[in-house]
């Protein structure tokens, strides 16, 4: 079995507070939230970052984001972030989109 943390969450070997799931993707609360609602959306199959993201998987992930934005009431606004690589601030090397909402989010990021 992979040692990857998010593969283990996708396989339900490590618990997470799941808010959305389909055949290809899983979304759950970030353990260290940076906004009142801070979710992580991952592909179930391991991918290190967006550079390996195939078009069909990307389409599934965008569809999942639209569902989540509706179900989680992101109507006041939200932010989607994929930290990529060391300088991009990535700490877990399984592709994930941060979905942040519930407060005014500053720009530019630090
Ligand atoms: P990154 O730093 O790679 O962009 O994002 C990784 C995110 O995963 C961080 O926001 C961190 O709080 C979150 N995280 C790390 N370990 C766990 C965990 O075990 N469970 C959950 N739900 N989130 C985690
Ligand atoms: Zn993984």
């Amino acid at each position: 079995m992979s040692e990857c943390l998010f593969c283990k969450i996708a396989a339900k070997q490590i618990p997470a507070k799941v808010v959305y799931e389909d055949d290809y993707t899983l979304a759950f609360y970030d353990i260290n939230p940076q906004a009142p609602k801070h979710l992580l959306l991952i592909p179930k199959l391991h991918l290190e970052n967006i550079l390996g993201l195939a078009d069909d998987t990307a389409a599934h992930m965008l569809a999942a984001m639209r569902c989540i934005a509706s179900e989680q009431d992101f109507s006041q606004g939200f932010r989607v972030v994929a930290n990529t690589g060391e300088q991009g601030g990535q700490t877990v090397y399984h592709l994930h989109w941060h979905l942040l909402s519930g407060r005014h989010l500053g720009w530019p990021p630090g």
Side-chain angles (χ1 to χ4, degrees), residues 5-6 9 14-17 28-34 38 40 82-83 88-93 96 98:
L5 173 64
F6 287 175
I9 287 178
I14 291 178
K17 198 171 164 194
F28 51 90
Y29 278 89
D30 194 295
I31 205 169
N32 182 24
Q34 303 301 312
H38 183 174
L40 300 172
N83 296 329
Q90 187 172 9
T91 59
V92 177
Y93 282 79
H96 51 282
H98 296 259

Side-chain angles (χ1 to χ4, degrees), residues 1 3 14 20 38 41 43 52 59 80:
M1 179 63 197
E3 288 305 305
I14 291 178
Y20 175 89
H38 183 174
L41 174 65
V80 179

Side-chain angles (χ1 to χ4, degrees), residues 9-10 12 16-29 37 39-44 57 59-72 74 99:
I9 287 178
K12 310 287 170 62
K17 198 171 164 194
V18 172
V19 298
Y20 175 89
E21 180 170 13
D22 62 33
D23 288 347
Y24 308 96
T25 71
L26 186 74
F28 51 90
Y29 278 89
K37 190 163 283 184
L39 308 176
L40 300 172
L41 174 65
I42 65 169
K44 287 185 171 176
T57 309
H60 288 303
M61 299 200 81
L62 282 170
M65 278 183 216
R66 285 193 290 273
C67 279
I68 293 164
S70 168
E71 290 175 4
Q72 299 291 319
F74 284 1
L99 308 178

